[in-house]
Amino acid sequence: MTTPVRPGMSRAATFLFALAGGAAVGNLYWSQPILETIAAGFGTTASAAGLLVTVTQVGYAVGVFFLVPLGDVVDRKVMIPLLMLLAAVMLGLSALAPSLPVLLVTLALVGVSTVSGQLLAPLAGDLATDDQRGRVLGTVVSGVLLGILVARAVSGVVTDLVGWRALYAMVAAVMVVLAVTMRRFLPRLEPRARVGYGSLLASVPRTYVTSAAVRWLGLMGAAVMATFTLYWTGLTLLLSAEPFGFSTTRIGLLGLVGILGALAAQQVGRLHDRGLGVPAIGVGLVVATASFVIAGVAPGSIVAVVVSVALYSVGVQAVQVLLQARVLAVDPSARSRLNTVFVVGNFIGGTVGSALAGLLWGAGGWPVIMTAAGLLLLPALLIWAVQRRRAFAA
């Protein structure tokens, strides 16, 4: 079935893109809150099980760099559902994994195949009209970010109820449904000019080097994502320790506050359509910084933590949505490659934040983590202050 291409993106289509993108990216994060449970099931240590997060993220980085650029030249009506089906197979095999080494392999392949979410945002940009592109991208990108928060929030709850293997089996079934739905729904776009695969990959770093706007926006995105992984990893450490001593389920439920904040931020894409994206990025950075101050000065107050989570979610989600919308607007013919540059930068920043969390927790706990988060966000604030009338003015 071939769906005809109609101008613009309906609200239903935008919601479907956001749902599918969030479900795909969420596959990277199901294991993070339940590492101890998986380790106990295989009779190994939590630190050994921690490799599951690493291999999944590495697989994702490989998939983003080697597969996402293809979105600029291949038929995404075929590619996106195919990747979703492959991810479903890998998730199903993960549910059946007889040992930790096998699970490491299957989750690495989950990472490679779950990049369909990063193909959907550029496709949404292609399908949207000029006057709705910011709103559409805002919703789709928020859906992708929400997928991360939802996975972290509900993974522990579902695992407590039915076990981690059943969790992965259910997620695999969801991906099959989404693959079939997207295959039927996605339009078949007109073919683009043929580009050799080697030339296509070579154009990704060249885009970063030659475009000042892409370079600065990518650096800002990396800095913001570094605070994202540092903040949420540190928050888990804070809430599981005294004086809180929260269970995995309670920590997950607190993560729902972050989801509500992200939902509040999803409409900021409209500011991009009105030409207000650049000043709104600055506001979002200030709001995120304020959240670090509130949490850092009152680490023993659950009220301060909740307020900080809400503010941080609104600020950081708004910034990421607007940064990505602006990156994808640089060159409409290369949106998948532009998205590759942006997402790879985010991955690098996120890796830095995750690595710092444990070290900084041991060095001084939550206040030190919040101080570091503010310092990591400082480059993004400086870039915005200097470049908002230069590289971002076009």
Side-chain angles (χ1 to χ4, degrees):
M1 175 179 178
T2 301
T3 305
V5 179
R6 298 182 177 87
M9 285 272 287
S10 67
R11 291 186 180 277
T14 303
F15 174 78
L16 178 59
F17 272 50
L19 176 65
V25 176
N27 291 332
L28 303 173
Y29 297 93
W30 294 112
S31 67
Q32 285 192 356
I34 57 173
L35 291 176
E36 291 188 1
T37 302
I38 294 175
F42 287 126
T44 187
T45 63
S47 60
L51 290 172
L52 294 171
V53 177
T54 302
V55 299
T56 306
Q57 294 288 347
V58 170
Y60 183 65
V62 171
V64 166
F65 186 81
F66 288 100
L67 296 179
V68 171
L70 288 169
D72 285 333
V73 296
V74 305
D75 187 354
R76 286 163 288 185
K77 182 179 177 66
V78 175
M79 185 179 182
I80 290 173
L82 186 61
L83 285 172
M84 288 182 167
L85 282 177
L86 181 58
V89 171
M90 292 301 109
L91 288 163
L93 291 176
S94 298
L96 301 172
S99 65
L100 183 62
V102 173
L103 187 59
L104 286 168
V105 173
T106 58
L107 286 186
L109 293 174
V110 166
V112 173
S113 58
T114 202
V115 297
S116 54
Q118 297 303 340
L119 289 164
L120 287 168
L123 178 56
D126 289 343
L127 296 175
T129 58
D130 291 342
D131 63 340
Q132 65 171 190
R133 187 165 289 114
R135 174 182 63 80
V136 168
L137 286 174
T139 302
V140 174
V141 172
S142 286
V144 171
L145 295 172
L146 277 168
I148 300 173
L149 295 176
V150 169
R152 285 174 165 168
V154 307
S155 178
V157 178
V158 175
T159 297
D160 285 345
L161 293 174
V162 297
W164 71 266
R165 293 184 184 274
L167 167 68
Y168 274 97
M170 289 188 292
V171 176
V174 170
M175 292 305 296
V176 171
V177 172
L178 284 173
V180 173
T181 302
M182 298 306 287
R183 173 62 184 170
R184 293 179 60 85
F185 178 82
L186 289 177
R188 191 181 298 278
L189 299 177
E190 294 183 4
R192 293 179 173 179
R194 290 183 176 274
V195 179
Y197 183 61
S199 299
L200 188 72
L201 290 184
S203 68
V204 174
R206 187 165 58 246
T207 298
Y208 182 84
V209 172
T210 58
S211 172
V214 171
R215 189 163 57 251
W216 290 121
L217 291 165
L219 288 172
M220 290 177 70
V224 171
M225 188 54 67
T227 73
F228 184 89
T229 55
L230 176 61
Y231 185 93
W232 287 103
T233 304
L235 185 66
T236 300
L237 296 171
L238 173 71
L239 296 177
S240 59
E242 296 297 332
F244 301 110
F246 282 8
S247 65
T248 301
T249 297
R250 292 180 70 186
I251 294 173
L253 292 175
L254 184 61
L256 294 176
V257 177
I259 294 172
L260 293 175
L263 288 172
Q266 74 173 23
Q267 295 301 318
V268 298
R270 297 177 185 272
L271 297 174
H272 175 83
D273 295 332
R274 298 173 185 171
L276 299 173
V278 173
I281 289 171
V283 173
L285 290 172
V286 171
V287 170
T289 303
S291 74
F292 302 148
V293 175
I294 292 171
V297 298
S301 168
I302 190 62
V303 174
V305 170
V306 170
V307 171
S308 172
V309 169
L311 285 176
Y312 180 72
S313 298
V314 171
V316 80
Q317 296 280 39
V319 169
Q320 284 293 80
V321 165
L322 292 167
L323 288 175
Q324 195 160 2
R326 198 153 186 87
V327 166
L328 295 180
V330 170
D331 183 357
S333 67
R335 285 196 172 105
S336 290
R337 280 167 285 179
L338 290 168
N339 202 43
T340 298
V341 172
F342 187 74
V343 174
V344 168
N346 279 2
F347 171 81
I348 294 171
T351 301
V352 171
S354 296
L356 286 175
L359 294 174
L360 295 175
W361 178 260
W366 182 246
V368 172
I369 286 178
M370 289 297 92
T371 301
L375 292 174
L376 285 171
L377 206 58
L378 183 59
L381 280 162
L382 292 175
I383 292 171
W384 175 83
V386 173
Q387 297 297 332
R388 71 184 191 277
R389 301 186 187 280
R390 296 180 185 179
F392 304 159

